[in-house]
């Protein structure tokens, strides 16, 4: 399956988490520059890379993967807490577009710092950044709105893992991609498992989902499909003009336009002033939102670190499996009562996610074996 060019949220990487091209999103790996290989003494090695040091690599991987897991596991937990928050008067926080303003702003700040130290790429075409930024922030906002309107976090997270379906559709229509039978089967397992969980009942008889929540998560997945197609075209256009943006170029420009779009929509809907008023009246929520936004930006930086030191597949594996742990963490720490049907749905969706990871690893190993022949 063609890799999606890199959200925190995860995605990118899952843009439902990350605000980046290609996330944890969400597939969720970022393409890195290919280093020319040379054959020497019967082996393949890169002339521009130092001799691998297993001990150092292990430390770097533990640091990068640990940072991604810690940032985005906490990120997901905080997101659930934000939309589960109930004020003394019984009201709850529903200003999803206002939340996106703050999250995107945190990523813009970190992206700007990254550009300051790494240097910015000149003459980057802005057209697709604007369009993709709008589609990505819409996807994130719709995910938050699904939580605000009663969709459980496990259902929303597993549904976002099934974003391969709209992304595949978007890339088939807009990017000219092609996929195999296994890709479609993986998507089917994730979608079917999520459907079984969402239609199932908790032990007490209450559903994990609401119709409005499901409507918003479907809108989010639709925007993921649009984003996937746009990102593939953007990558092709960049290659045509010979421009290779750096990771922090993507982080800064994408989130800048995400923030602008979120500001505009939040003002039009009245959410900006409502969000500020709600947070002023509920100081404890401010703390959750600030930590949520910081985790998003820090998580992106750990993703960049991991991609810079390892094959993008490593980062993709980390970010994809992270979603599984986010679901389990939510189930065991947020009081979700799961029925047997619910656990079956989770298991089916997780099997699809793990199959996706295995498929990527197998494909990567086959490519490496062909190169070494």
């Amino acid at each position: 399956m063609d890799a999606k060019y890199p959200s925190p949220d995860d995605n990118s990487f899952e843009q439902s988490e990350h605000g980046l091209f290609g996330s944890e999103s969400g597939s969720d790996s970022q393409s890195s520059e290919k280093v020319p290989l040379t054959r020497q003494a019967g082996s393949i090695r890169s002339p521009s890379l130092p001799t691998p040091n297993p001990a150092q690599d292990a430390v770097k991987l533990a640091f990068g993967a640990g940072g991604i897991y810690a940032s985005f596991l906490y990120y997901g937990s905080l997101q659930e807490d934000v939309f589960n928050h109930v004020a003394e008067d019984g009201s709850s926080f529903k200003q999803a577009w206002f939340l996106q303003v703050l999250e995107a702003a945190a990523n813009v700040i970190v992206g700007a710092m990254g550009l300051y130290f790494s240097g910015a790429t000149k003459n980057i075409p802005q057209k697709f950044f604007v369009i993709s930024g709008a589609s990505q922030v819409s996807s994130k906002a719709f995910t938050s709105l699904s939580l605000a309107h009663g969709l459980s976090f496990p259902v929303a997270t597993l549904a976002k893992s099934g974003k391969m379906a709209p992304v595949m559709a978007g890339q088939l229509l807009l990017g000219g991609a092609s996929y195999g039978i296994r890709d479609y089967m993986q998507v089917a397992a994730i979608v079917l498992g999520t459907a079984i969980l969402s239609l199932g009942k908790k032990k007490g008889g209450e559903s994990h989902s609401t119709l409005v929540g499901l409507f918003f998560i479907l809108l989010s997945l639709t925007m993921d499909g649009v984003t996937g197609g746009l990102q593939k075209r953007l990558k092709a256009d960049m290659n045509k003009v010979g421009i290779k943006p750096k990771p922090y170029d993507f982080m800064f420009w994408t989130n800048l336009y995400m923030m602008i779009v979120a500001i505009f929509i939040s003002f039009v809907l009245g959410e900006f002033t409502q969000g500020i008023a709600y947070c002023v009246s509920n100081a404890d929520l401010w703390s959750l939102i600030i930590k949520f936004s910081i985790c998003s930006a820090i998580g992106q930086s750990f993703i960049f670190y991991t991609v810079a030191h390892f094959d993008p597949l490593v980062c993709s594996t980390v970010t994809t499996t992270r979603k599984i742990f986010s679901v389990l963490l939510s189930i065991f720490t947020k009081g979700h009562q799961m029925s047997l049907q619910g656990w079956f749905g989770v298991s089916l969706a997780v099997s699809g996610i793990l199959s996706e990871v295995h498929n990527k690893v197998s494909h990567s190993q086959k490519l490496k074996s062909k190169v070494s022949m």
Side-chain angles (χ1 to χ4, degrees):
M1 182 168 119
D2 293 339
K4 178 182 172 188
Y5 194 67
S7 122
D9 111 340
D10 231 83
N11 58 79
S12 331
F13 306 98
E14 176 206 340
Q15 180 47 39
S16 66
E17 297 181 349
H18 315 107
L20 285 178
F21 279 73
S23 144
E24 211 190 279
S25 348
S27 87
D28 309 326
S29 65
Q30 176 178 13
S31 299
S32 58
E33 275 188 47
K34 292 183 178 179
V35 180
L37 299 176
T38 59
R39 185 177 296 275
Q40 187 176 56
S43 63
I44 300 293
R45 73 178 188 87
S46 168
S48 60
L49 294 177
T51 302
N53 186 315
Q56 289 184 356
D57 286 347
V59 173
K60 290 178 180 178
L61 179 59
F63 178 72
I68 292 172
Y69 267 89
S71 299
F72 287 117
L73 284 175
Y74 194 32
Y75 171 97
S77 178
L78 288 167
Q79 185 179 30
E80 188 170 9
D81 289 341
V82 166
F83 290 104
N84 284 342
H85 181 275
V86 178
E88 292 183 358
D89 61 1
S91 62
S92 58
F93 182 81
K94 295 185 182 296
Q95 289 75 29
W97 288 100
F98 171 69
L99 179 66
Q100 293 312 309
V101 172
L102 301 180
E103 182 183 356
N107 279 275
V108 167
I109 293 172
V110 173
M113 293 173 60
L115 289 181
Y116 177 79
F117 290 106
S118 64
T121 304
K122 297 181 180 180
N123 302 319
I124 297 179
Q126 298 293 307
K127 176 182 177 181
F128 280 105
F129 277 107
V130 176
I131 301 174
S132 183
S135 65
Q136 290 188 59
V137 75
S138 296
S139 173
K140 292 174 69 66
F142 290 144
T143 298
S144 293
L145 284 169
S146 73
L147 296 174
H149 287 85
L151 190 67
S152 74
F153 183 83
V155 172
T157 303
L158 289 176
K160 291 294 287 184
S161 297
K163 71 179 181 179
M164 289 184 296
V167 167
M168 286 167 66
Q171 292 191 352
L172 284 169
L173 296 173
L174 301 176
S178 61
Y179 299 91
I181 297 297
R182 180 169 179 173
D183 295 315
Y184 293 109
M185 292 181 65
Q186 290 164 182
V187 171
I190 297 173
V191 172
L192 182 59
T194 303
I196 291 173
L197 174 61
S198 64
L199 294 174
K201 303 287 184 179
K202 300 178 182 179
K203 284 186 176 180
E206 184 182 351
S207 174
H208 293 278
S209 308
T210 64
L211 289 177
V212 178
L214 289 172
F215 172 73
F216 278 118
I217 204 67
L218 288 175
L219 284 179
S220 178
L221 289 168
T222 300
M223 298 313 299
D224 283 336
V226 173
T227 301
L230 290 172
Q231 289 174 350
K232 194 172 184 69
R233 290 183 60 182
L234 173 62
K235 182 180 178 182
D237 288 349
M238 293 289 187
N239 290 335
K240 287 180 181 178
V241 297
I243 297 177
K244 295 182 179 180
K246 300 174 183 177
Y248 282 107
D249 289 314
F250 283 107
M251 184 175 188
F252 176 79
W253 290 112
T254 303
N255 281 280
L256 176 63
Y257 292 119
M258 289 174 66
M259 183 179 69
I260 292 172
V261 171
I263 290 174
F264 175 76
I265 296 179
S266 64
F267 268 105
V268 170
L269 297 178
E271 285 194 8
F272 196 89
T273 53
Q274 293 172 7
I276 292 178
Y278 188 92
C279 290
V280 169
S281 301
N282 299 273
D284 56 327
L285 187 63
W286 266 126
S287 174
L288 294 176
I289 291 177
I290 290 173
K291 289 186 288 187
F292 167 81
S293 301
I294 292 175
C295 281
S296 175
I298 293 176
Q300 290 306 308
S301 296
F302 275 112
I303 286 175
F304 291 146
Y305 174 88
T306 305
V307 170
H309 289 88
F310 299 95
D311 188 291
L313 178 63
V314 173
C315 190
S316 175
T317 301
V318 172
T319 55
T320 302
T321 54
R322 191 280 310 164
K323 296 175 186 177
I324 298 174
F325 287 103
S326 284
V327 170
L328 295 177
L329 181 67
S330 175
I331 291 173
F332 291 120
T333 64
K334 303 297 183 181
H336 297 286
Q337 299 296 316
M338 300 288 290
S339 65
L340 183 61
Q341 178 181 336
W343 278 116
F344 175 72
V346 170
S347 300
L348 183 59
V350 167
S351 69
I353 296 172
L354 293 178
S355 177
E356 177 195 0
V357 173
H358 180 267
N359 192 22
K360 291 178 183 178
V361 173
S362 299
H363 181 66
S364 177
Q365 291 176 340
K366 288 179 181 178
L367 289 178
K368 290 179 180 179
S369 63
K370 287 181 180 179
V371 171
S372 61
M373 290 177 63

